[in-house]
Coordinates of all heavy atoms in Angstrom, one line a residue:
M757 N 75.4 137.4 67.8 CA 74.1 137.0 67.5 C 74.1 135.6 67.1 O 73.3 134.9 67.7 CB 73.5 138.0 66.5 CG 72.1 137.9 66.0 SD 71.1 136.5 66.3 CE 70.5 136.1 64.8
I758 N 74.9 135.2 66.2 CA 74.9 133.8 65.7 C 75.2 132.8 66.8 O 74.5 131.8 66.9 CB 75.8 133.6 64.5 CG1 75.4 134.5 63.3 CG2 75.9 132.2 64.0 CD1 74.0 134.3 62.8
P759 N 76.2 133.0 67.6 CA 76.5 132.0 68.7 C 75.3 131.9 69.7 O 74.9 130.8 70.1 CB 77.8 132.6 69.4 CG 78.4 133.4 68.4 CD 77.3 134.0 67.6
W760 N 74.7 133.1 70.0 CA 73.6 133.0 70.9 C 72.4 132.3 70.2 O 71.7 131.5 70.8 CB 73.1 134.5 71.2 CG 71.9 134.5 72.1 CD1 71.9 134.5 73.4 CD2 70.5 134.5 71.7 NE1 70.6 134.4 74.0 CE2 69.7 134.5 72.9 CE3 69.8 134.5 70.5 CZ2 68.3 134.5 72.9 CZ3 68.5 134.6 70.5 CH2 67.8 134.5 71.6
L761 N 72.1 132.6 69.0 CA 71.1 131.9 68.2 C 71.3 130.4 68.3 O 70.4 129.7 68.5 CB 71.0 132.4 66.8 CG 70.0 131.8 65.9 CD1 68.5 132.1 66.4 CD2 70.2 132.2 64.4
K762 N 72.5 130.0 67.9 CA 72.9 128.6 67.9 C 72.7 127.9 69.2 O 72.3 126.7 69.3 CB 74.2 128.3 67.4 CG 74.3 128.6 65.9 CD 75.8 128.4 65.3 CE 75.8 128.6 63.9 NZ 77.2 128.3 63.3
S763 N 73.0 128.7 70.3 CA 72.9 128.1 71.7 C 71.5 127.9 72.2 O 71.2 127.2 73.1 CB 73.7 128.9 72.6 OG 73.1 130.1 73.0
K764 N 70.6 128.7 71.6 CA 69.2 128.7 72.0 C 68.2 128.0 71.1 O 67.0 128.0 71.4 CB 68.7 130.2 72.2 CG 69.5 131.0 73.3 CD 69.4 130.5 74.6 CE 70.2 131.3 75.6 NZ 70.3 130.8 76.9
T765 N 68.6 127.5 70.0 CA 67.7 127.0 69.0 C 68.3 125.6 68.5 O 69.6 125.4 68.5 CB 67.5 127.9 67.8 OG1 68.7 128.2 67.2 CG2 66.8 129.1 68.2
T766 N 67.5 124.8 68.0 CA 68.0 123.5 67.3 C 68.4 123.9 65.9 O 68.1 125.0 65.3 CB 66.8 122.5 67.3 OG1 65.8 123.0 66.4 CG2 66.3 122.2 68.6
K767 N 69.0 122.9 65.3 CA 69.5 123.1 63.9 C 68.3 123.3 63.0 O 68.3 124.2 62.1 CB 70.3 121.8 63.5 CG 70.6 121.9 61.9 CD 71.8 122.7 61.7 CE 72.3 122.5 60.2 NZ 72.1 123.6 59.3
E768 N 67.2 122.6 63.2 CA 66.0 122.7 62.4 C 65.3 124.1 62.6 O 65.0 124.7 61.6 CB 64.9 121.6 62.8 CG 65.3 120.2 62.4 CD 66.3 119.6 63.4 OE1 66.4 120.1 64.5 OE2 67.0 118.7 62.9
Q769 N 65.4 124.6 63.8 CA 64.8 126.0 64.0 C 65.7 127.1 63.4 O 65.2 128.0 62.8 CB 64.8 126.3 65.5 CG 63.7 125.5 66.3 CD 63.8 125.6 67.8 OE1 64.9 125.6 68.3 NE2 62.7 125.7 68.4
Q770 N 67.0 126.9 63.5 CA 67.9 127.8 62.8 C 67.7 127.9 61.3 O 67.6 128.9 60.6 CB 69.4 127.4 63.1 CG 69.8 127.6 64.5 CD 71.1 126.9 64.8 OE1 72.0 126.8 64.0 NE2 71.2 126.4 66.0
D771 N 67.6 126.6 60.7 CA 67.4 126.5 59.2 C 66.0 127.2 58.9 O 65.9 127.9 57.9 CB 67.3 125.0 58.8 CG 68.7 124.4 58.9 OD1 69.7 125.0 59.0 OD2 68.8 123.1 58.8
Y772 N 65.0 127.0 59.7 CA 63.7 127.6 59.4 C 63.8 129.1 59.5 O 63.3 129.8 58.6 CB 62.7 127.1 60.4 CG 61.3 127.7 60.3 CD1 60.5 127.5 59.2 CD2 60.9 128.7 61.1 CE1 59.3 128.1 59.0 CE2 59.6 129.4 61.0 CZ 58.9 129.0 60.0 OH 57.6 129.6 59.7
L773 N 64.4 129.6 60.5 CA 64.6 131.1 60.7 C 65.3 131.7 59.4 O 64.9 132.7 58.9 CB 65.4 131.4 61.8 CG 64.6 131.2 63.2 CD1 65.6 131.4 64.4 CD2 63.5 132.4 63.4
L774 N 66.4 131.1 59.0 CA 67.2 131.6 57.9 C 66.5 131.4 56.6 O 66.5 132.4 55.8 CB 68.6 130.9 57.9 CG 69.5 131.2 59.1 CD1 70.7 130.4 59.0 CD2 69.8 132.6 59.2
A775 N 65.8 130.3 56.4 CA 65.0 130.2 55.2 C 63.9 131.1 55.1 O 63.6 131.8 54.0 CB 64.5 128.7 55.1
T776 N 63.2 131.4 56.2 CA 62.1 132.4 56.1 C 62.6 133.8 55.9 O 62.0 134.5 55.1 CB 61.4 132.4 57.6 OG1 60.9 131.0 57.8 CG2 60.2 133.3 57.6
A777 N 63.8 134.1 56.5 CA 64.3 135.4 56.2 C 64.6 135.6 54.8 O 64.3 136.6 54.1 CB 65.6 135.6 57.1
R778 N 65.3 134.5 54.1 CA 65.6 134.6 52.7 C 64.3 134.8 51.9 O 64.4 135.6 51.0 CB 66.3 133.3 52.3 CG 67.7 133.2 52.8 CD 68.3 132.0 52.2 NE 69.7 131.8 52.7 CZ 70.1 130.8 53.5 NH1 69.2 129.8 53.9 NH2 71.3 130.7 54.0
V779 N 63.3 134.0 52.1 CA 62.1 134.1 51.3 C 61.4 135.5 51.5 O 61.0 136.1 50.5 CB 61.0 133.0 51.8 CG1 59.7 133.3 51.2 CG2 61.6 131.6 51.4
L780 N 61.4 136.0 52.6 CA 60.9 137.3 52.9 C 61.7 138.5 52.2 O 61.2 139.4 51.6 CB 60.7 137.6 54.3 CG 59.6 136.8 55.0 CD1 59.7 137.0 56.5 CD2 58.3 137.1 54.4
V781 N 63.0 138.3 52.1 CA 63.9 139.3 51.4 C 63.5 139.2 49.9 O 63.4 140.3 49.3 CB 65.4 139.0 51.7 CG1 66.3 139.7 50.7 CG2 65.7 139.3 53.2
Y782 N 63.4 138.0 49.4 CA 63.1 137.9 48.0 C 61.7 138.5 47.7 O 61.4 139.2 46.7 CB 63.1 136.5 47.5 CG 64.5 136.1 47.1 CD1 65.4 135.5 48.0 CD2 64.9 136.3 45.8 CE1 66.6 135.1 47.7 CE2 66.2 135.9 45.4 CZ 67.0 135.3 46.3 OH 68.4 134.9 46.0
A783 N 60.7 138.2 48.6 CA 59.4 138.8 48.6 C 59.4 140.2 48.6 O 58.7 140.9 47.8 CB 58.5 138.3 49.7
A784 N 60.1 140.9 49.4 CA 60.2 142.3 49.5 C 60.7 142.9 48.2 O 60.2 143.9 47.8 CB 61.1 142.8 50.8
E785 N 61.7 142.3 47.6 CA 62.3 142.8 46.4 C 61.2 142.7 45.3 O 61.1 143.6 44.5 CB 63.5 141.9 46.0 CG 64.2 142.4 44.8 CD 64.9 143.7 44.9 OE1 65.1 144.1 46.2 OE2 65.3 144.3 43.9
Q786 N 60.4 141.7 45.2 CA 59.4 141.6 44.3 C 58.3 142.6 44.5 O 57.7 143.2 43.6 CB 58.7 140.1 44.3 CG 59.7 139.1 43.8 CD 60.1 139.3 42.3 OE1 59.2 139.5 41.5 NE2 61.3 139.3 42.1
V787 N 57.9 142.8 45.7 CA 56.8 143.7 46.0 C 57.2 145.2 45.8 O 56.4 145.9 45.2 CB 56.3 143.5 47.5 CG1 55.4 144.7 48.0 CG2 55.7 142.2 47.7
Y788 N 58.4 145.6 46.2 CA 58.8 147.0 46.2 C 59.8 147.3 45.1 O 60.1 148.5 44.9 CB 59.4 147.4 47.6 CG 58.4 147.3 48.7 CD1 58.3 146.2 49.6 CD2 57.4 148.2 48.8 CE1 57.4 146.2 50.6 CE2 56.4 148.2 49.8 CZ 56.5 147.1 50.7 OH 55.4 147.1 51.6
G789 N 60.4 146.4 44.5 CA 61.4 146.6 43.4 C 62.7 147.2 43.9 O 63.1 147.1 45.2
A790 N 63.5 147.7 43.0 CA 64.8 148.1 43.4 C 64.8 149.4 44.3 O 63.9 150.2 44.1 CB 65.6 148.5 42.1
G791 N 65.8 149.6 45.1 CA 65.8 150.7 46.0 C 64.9 150.5 47.1 O 64.5 149.4 47.5
K792 N 64.5 151.5 47.8 CA 63.5 151.5 48.9 C 64.0 150.5 50.0 O 63.2 149.8 50.6 CB 62.2 151.1 48.5 CG 61.6 152.1 47.4 CD 60.2 151.6 46.9 CE 59.9 152.4 45.7 NZ 58.8 151.9 44.9
G793 N 65.3 150.5 50.4 CA 65.8 149.5 51.3 C 65.1 149.5 52.7 O 64.9 148.5 53.2
D794 N 64.9 150.8 53.1 CA 64.3 150.9 54.5 C 62.9 150.3 54.5 O 62.5 149.6 55.4 CB 64.2 152.4 54.9 CG 65.6 153.0 55.2 OD1 66.5 152.2 55.4 OD2 65.7 154.2 55.2
V795 N 62.1 150.5 53.4 CA 60.7 150.0 53.3 C 60.8 148.5 53.3 O 60.0 147.8 53.9 CB 60.1 150.6 52.1 CG1 58.7 150.0 51.9 CG2 59.9 152.1 52.2
K796 N 61.7 148.0 52.4 CA 61.8 146.5 52.3 C 62.3 145.9 53.7 O 61.8 144.8 54.0 CB 62.8 146.2 51.2 CG 62.1 146.5 49.8 CD 63.0 146.0 48.7 CE 64.2 146.8 48.5 NZ 64.9 146.4 47.2
M797 N 63.2 146.5 54.4 CA 63.7 146.0 55.6 C 62.5 146.0 56.6 O 62.3 145.0 57.4 CB 64.8 146.9 56.2 CG 65.4 146.3 57.5 SD 66.3 144.7 57.3 CE 67.7 145.2 56.4
Q798 N 61.7 147.0 56.7 CA 60.6 147.1 57.5 C 59.5 146.0 57.2 O 59.0 145.3 58.1 CB 59.9 148.5 57.5 CG 58.8 148.6 58.6 CD 59.5 148.5 60.0 OE1 60.5 149.1 60.4 NE2 58.9 147.6 60.9
Y799 N 59.4 145.7 55.9 CA 58.4 144.7 55.4 C 59.0 143.3 56.0 O 58.1 142.6 56.5 CB 58.4 144.7 53.9 CG 57.8 143.5 53.3 CD1 56.3 143.5 53.1 CD2 58.5 142.4 52.9 CE1 55.7 142.4 52.6 CE2 57.8 141.2 52.4 CZ 56.5 141.2 52.2 OH 55.8 140.1 51.7
V800 N 60.2 143.0 55.9 CA 60.8 141.8 56.3 C 60.6 141.6 57.8 O 60.1 140.6 58.4 CB 62.3 141.6 55.9 CG1 62.8 140.4 56.6 CG2 62.4 141.5 54.4
Q801 N 60.9 142.6 58.6 CA 60.8 142.7 60.0 C 59.4 142.5 60.5 O 59.0 141.7 61.4 CB 61.4 143.9 60.6 CG 62.9 144.0 60.5 CD 63.5 145.3 61.0 OE1 62.9 146.3 60.8 NE2 64.6 145.2 61.6
D802 N 58.4 143.1 59.8 CA 57.0 143.0 60.1 C 56.5 141.6 59.8 O 55.7 141.1 60.6 CB 56.2 144.1 59.4 CG 56.4 145.5 59.8 OD1 57.0 145.7 60.9 OD2 56.0 146.4 59.1
E803 N 56.9 141.0 58.7 CA 56.4 139.7 58.3 C 57.1 138.6 59.2 O 56.4 137.7 59.7 CB 56.9 139.4 56.9 CG 56.0 140.2 55.9 CD 54.6 139.8 55.8 OE1 54.2 138.6 56.0 OE2 53.7 140.8 55.7
L804 N 58.2 138.8 59.7 CA 58.8 137.9 60.7 C 58.1 138.0 62.0 O 57.7 137.0 62.6 CB 60.3 138.3 60.9 CG 61.3 137.9 59.8 CD1 62.6 138.5 60.0 CD2 61.4 136.4 59.6
E805 N 57.8 139.2 62.4 CA 57.1 139.4 63.7 C 55.7 138.8 63.6 O 55.2 138.2 64.5 CB 57.0 140.9 64.0 CG 56.4 141.1 65.3 CD 56.4 142.6 65.7 OE1 57.5 143.2 65.7 OE2 55.3 143.2 66.0
S806 N 55.1 138.9 62.4 CA 53.7 138.4 62.3 C 53.7 136.9 62.4 O 52.7 136.3 62.7 CB 53.0 138.8 61.0 OG 53.6 138.1 59.9
R807 N 54.9 136.3 62.2 CA 55.0 134.8 62.3 C 55.6 134.4 63.6 O 55.9 133.3 63.8 CB 55.9 134.3 61.2 CG 55.3 134.3 59.8 CD 56.4 134.2 58.7 NE 55.8 134.1 57.4 CZ 55.4 135.1 56.6 NH1 55.3 136.4 57.2 NH2 54.9 135.0 55.4
G808 N 55.7 135.4 64.5 CA 56.3 135.1 65.9 C 57.7 134.9 65.9 O 58.3 134.3 66.8
L809 N 58.4 135.4 64.8 CA 59.9 135.3 64.8 C 60.6 136.6 64.9 O 60.1 137.6 64.5 CB 60.2 134.7 63.4 CG 59.6 133.4 63.0 CD1 59.9 133.1 61.5 CD2 60.1 132.3 63.8
S810 N 61.8 136.5 65.5 CA 62.6 137.7 65.7 C 64.0 137.4 65.3 O 64.7 136.5 65.8 CB 62.5 138.2 67.1 OG 63.4 139.3 67.3
I811 N 64.5 138.1 64.2 CA 65.8 137.9 63.7 C 66.5 139.2 63.7 O 66.0 140.3 63.3 CB 65.8 137.3 62.3 CG1 65.1 135.9 62.3 CG2 67.2 137.2 61.9 CD1 65.1 135.3 61.0
D812 N 67.7 139.3 64.2 CA 68.5 140.6 64.2 C 68.8 141.1 62.8 O 68.9 140.3 61.9 CB 69.8 140.4 65.0 CG 69.6 140.3 66.5 OD1 68.5 140.7 67.0 OD2 70.6 139.9 67.2
L813 N 69.0 142.3 62.7 CA 69.2 142.9 61.5 C 70.4 142.3 60.7 O 70.3 142.2 59.4 CB 69.5 144.5 61.7 CG 69.6 145.4 60.5 CD1 68.4 145.4 59.7 CD2 69.9 146.8 61.0
P814 N 71.5 141.9 61.3 CA 72.6 141.4 60.5 C 72.2 140.1 59.8 O 72.7 139.9 58.7 CB 73.6 141.1 61.6 CG 73.4 142.1 62.7 CD 71.9 142.2 62.7
V815 N 71.3 139.3 60.3 CA 70.9 138.1 59.6 C 70.0 138.5 58.4 O 70.2 137.9 57.3 CB 70.0 137.2 60.6 CG1 69.5 136.0 59.8 CG2 70.9 136.8 61.7
I816 N 69.2 139.5 58.5 CA 68.4 140.0 57.3 C 69.4 140.5 56.3 O 69.2 140.3 55.1 CB 67.3 141.0 57.7 CG1 66.4 140.3 58.8 CG2 66.6 141.5 56.6 CD1 65.5 141.3 59.4
E817 N 70.3 141.4 56.8 CA 71.3 142.0 55.8 C 72.1 140.9 55.2 O 72.4 141.0 53.9 CB 72.2 142.9 56.5 CG 71.4 144.2 57.0 CD 72.3 145.1 57.8 OE1 73.3 144.6 58.5 OE2 71.9 146.3 58.0
A818 N 72.4 139.8 55.8 CA 73.2 138.7 55.1 C 72.3 138.1 54.0 O 72.8 137.7 53.0 CB 73.5 137.7 56.2
A819 N 71.0 137.9 54.3 CA 70.1 137.3 53.3 C 70.0 138.3 52.1 O 70.0 137.9 50.9 CB 68.7 137.2 53.8
V820 N 70.0 139.6 52.3 CA 70.1 140.5 51.2 C 71.3 140.5 50.4 O 71.3 140.4 49.2 CB 69.8 142.0 51.7 CG1 70.1 143.0 50.6 CG2 68.5 142.2 52.3
R821 N 72.5 140.4 51.1 CA 73.7 140.3 50.4 C 73.8 139.0 49.6 O 74.2 139.0 48.4 CB 74.9 140.3 51.4 CG 75.3 141.6 51.8 CD 76.6 141.7 52.6 NE 76.6 140.9 53.8 CZ 76.1 141.2 55.0 NH1 75.6 142.4 55.1 NH2 76.1 140.4 56.0
E822 N 73.3 137.9 50.1 CA 73.2 136.6 49.4 C 72.4 136.8 48.1 O 72.8 136.3 47.0 CB 72.6 135.5 50.3 CG 72.4 134.2 49.7 CD 71.8 133.2 50.5 OE1 72.5 132.6 51.4 OE2 70.6 133.1 50.6
M823 N 71.2 137.4 48.3 CA 70.4 137.6 47.1 C 71.1 138.4 46.1 O 71.0 138.0 44.8 CB 69.0 138.3 47.5 CG 68.1 138.6 46.3 SD 66.7 139.6 46.8 CE 67.5 141.2 47.0
N824 N 71.7 139.5 46.4 CA 72.4 140.3 45.5 C 73.6 139.6 44.7 O 73.8 139.8 43.6 CB 72.9 141.6 46.2 CG 71.8 142.6 46.5 OD1 70.8 142.5 46.0 ND2 72.1 143.4 47.6
L825 N 74.3 138.8 45.6 CA 75.4 138.0 45.0 C 74.8 137.0 43.9 O 75.4 136.8 42.8 CB 76.1 137.2 46.1 CG 77.1 138.1 46.9 CD1 77.6 137.3 48.0 CD2 78.2 138.6 46.1
I826 N 73.7 136.4 44.2 CA 73.1 135.4 43.3 C 72.7 136.1 42.1 O 73.0 135.6 41.0 CB 72.0 134.6 44.0 CG1 72.6 133.7 45.0 CG2 71.1 133.9 42.9 CD1 71.5 133.0 45.9
E827 N 72.0 137.2 42.2 CA 71.6 138.0 41.0 C 72.8 138.5 40.1 O 72.7 138.3 39.0 CB 70.8 139.2 41.4 CG 69.4 138.8 42.0 CD 68.6 139.9 42.4 OE1 69.1 141.1 42.5 OE2 67.5 139.8 42.8
S828 N 73.8 138.9 40.8 CA 75.0 139.3 40.1 C 75.6 138.1 39.4 O 76.1 138.3 38.2 CB 76.1 139.9 41.1 OG 77.3 140.2 40.5
W829 N 75.7 137.0 40.0 CA 76.2 135.8 39.4 C 75.4 135.4 38.2 O 75.9 135.1 37.1 CB 76.3 134.7 40.4 CG 76.8 133.3 39.9 CD1 78.0 133.0 39.6 CD2 75.9 132.2 39.6 NE1 78.0 131.7 39.1 CE2 76.7 131.2 39.1 CE3 74.5 132.0 39.7 CZ2 76.1 130.0 38.7 CZ3 74.0 130.8 39.2 CH2 74.8 129.8 38.8
E830 N 74.1 135.5 38.3 CA 73.2 135.1 37.2 C 73.4 136.0 36.0 O 73.5 135.6 34.9 CB 71.8 135.0 37.7 CG 71.5 133.9 38.6 CD 70.1 134.0 39.2 OE1 69.4 135.1 39.1 OE2 69.6 132.9 39.7
T831 N 73.6 137.3 36.3 CA 73.8 138.3 35.3 C 75.1 138.0 34.5 O 75.2 138.1 33.3 CB 73.8 139.7 35.8 OG1 72.5 139.9 36.4 CG2 74.0 140.8 34.8
T832 N 76.1 137.7 35.3 CA 77.5 137.4 34.7 C 77.4 136.2 33.9 O 77.9 136.2 32.7 CB 78.5 137.2 35.8 OG1 78.5 138.3 36.6 CG2 79.8 136.8 35.2
I833 N 76.7 135.2 34.2 CA 76.5 134.0 33.4 C 75.8 134.3 32.1 O 76.1 133.9 31.0 CB 75.8 132.9 34.3 CG1 76.6 132.4 35.4 CG2 75.4 131.7 33.3 CD1 77.9 131.8 35.1
E834 N 74.7 135.0 32.2 CA 73.9 135.4 31.0 C 74.8 136.2 30.1 O 74.7 136.0 28.8 CB 72.7 136.2 31.4 CG 71.6 135.4 32.1 CD 70.5 136.3 32.7 OE1 70.4 137.5 32.5 OE2 69.6 135.7 33.3
L835 N 75.5 137.1 30.5 CA 76.5 138.0 29.6 C 77.5 137.1 29.0 O 77.8 137.2 27.8 CB 77.2 139.0 30.5 CG 76.2 140.2 30.9 CD1 77.0 141.2 31.9 CD2 75.7 141.0 29.8
E836 N 78.1 136.2 29.8 CA 79.1 135.3 29.2 C 78.5 134.4 28.1 O 79.0 134.2 27.1 CB 79.7 134.4 30.3 CG 80.7 135.2 31.2 CD 81.1 134.4 32.3 OE1 80.8 133.1 32.5 OE2 82.0 134.9 33.1
E837 N 77.2 133.9 28.3 CA 76.6 133.1 27.3 C 76.2 133.9 26.0 O 76.4 133.4 24.9 CB 75.3 132.5 27.9 CG 75.6 131.4 28.9 CD 74.3 130.9 29.6 OE1 73.2 131.5 29.4 OE2 74.3 129.9 30.3
T838 N 75.8 135.1 26.3 CA 75.6 136.0 25.1 C 76.8 136.3 24.3 O 76.8 136.2 23.1 CB 74.9 137.4 25.6 OG1 73.8 137.0 26.4 CG2 74.6 138.2 24.5
E839 N 77.9 136.6 25.0 CA 79.2 136.9 24.3 C 79.7 135.7 23.6 O 80.3 135.7 22.5 CB 80.2 137.3 25.3 CG 79.9 138.7 25.9 CD 80.8 139.1 27.0 OE1 81.7 138.3 27.4 OE2 80.6 140.2 27.5
D840 N 79.4 134.4 24.1 CA 79.9 133.2 23.5 C 79.0 132.8 22.3 O 79.2 131.8 21.7 CB 80.0 132.1 24.5 CG 81.1 132.3 25.5 OD1 82.1 133.1 25.2 OD2 81.1 131.6 26.6
G841 N 77.8 133.5 22.1 CA 76.9 133.1 21.1 C 76.0 132.0 21.5 O 75.3 131.4 20.6
K842 N 75.9 131.6 22.8 CA 75.2 130.5 23.2 C 73.7 130.9 23.5 O 72.9 130.1 23.7 CB 75.8 129.8 24.4 CG 77.1 129.2 24.1 CD 77.7 128.6 25.4 CE 79.0 128.0 25.2 NZ 79.6 127.5 26.4
H843 N 73.5 132.1 23.6 CA 72.2 132.6 24.1 C 71.5 133.3 22.9 O 71.9 133.9 22.1 CB 72.4 133.6 25.2 CG 71.1 133.7 26.1 ND1 70.0 134.2 25.7 CD2 71.0 133.2 27.4 CE1 69.1 134.1 26.6 NE2 69.7 133.6 27.7

């Protein structure tokens, strides 16, 4: 998917697609909360389609993994700060 996407789009278009997917993944998390993965995935796909965009599932899943990693990293930092008495 990624090689095909890169061959058919400009760097700016690729950046826009990925940024849009990321924003929609975060929005789905805010709207639906924890769990409900299928509902959130459908939300992201519907929102992309309403914007005339089509991104394969692996790209959306990568955005989800990225969001989860960032949240995990932020939680780890907060815990470390609390343990060090800085928070």
Side-chain angles (χ1 to χ4, degrees):
M757 182 347 231
I758 298 299
W760 179 87
L761 178 66
K762 287 182 177 182
S763 73
K764 301 294 182 188
T765 58
T766 67
K767 173 76 168 115
E768 291 80 20
Q769 289 170 323
Q770 293 166 31
D771 290 345
Y772 176 74
L773 286 168
L774 296 174
T776 302
R778 284 184 187 117
V779 168
L780 291 172
V781 164
Y782 278 90
E785 186 69 17
Q786 291 298 310
V787 170
Y788 295 103
K792 303 176 189 165
D794 291 340
V795 173
K796 291 187 285 189
M797 184 63 72
Q798 190 61 53
Y799 170 85
V800 172
Q801 290 173 325
D802 290 347
E803 288 297 319
L804 287 168
E805 187 176 303
S806 76
R807 291 164 172 75
L809 303 172
S810 177
I811 299 177
D812 285 343
L813 187 62
V815 175
I816 299 170
E817 289 172 341
V820 171
R821 281 191 301 276
E822 178 182 271
M823 179 189 68
N824 290 335
L825 285 171
I826 290 170
E827 288 177 356
S828 175
W829 175 76
E830 289 172 344
T831 300
T832 300
I833 296 298
E834 288 173 4
L835 289 173
E836 288 175 358
E837 288 176 351
T838 301
E839 289 172 0
D840 290 342
K842 295 179 185 176
H843 206 292

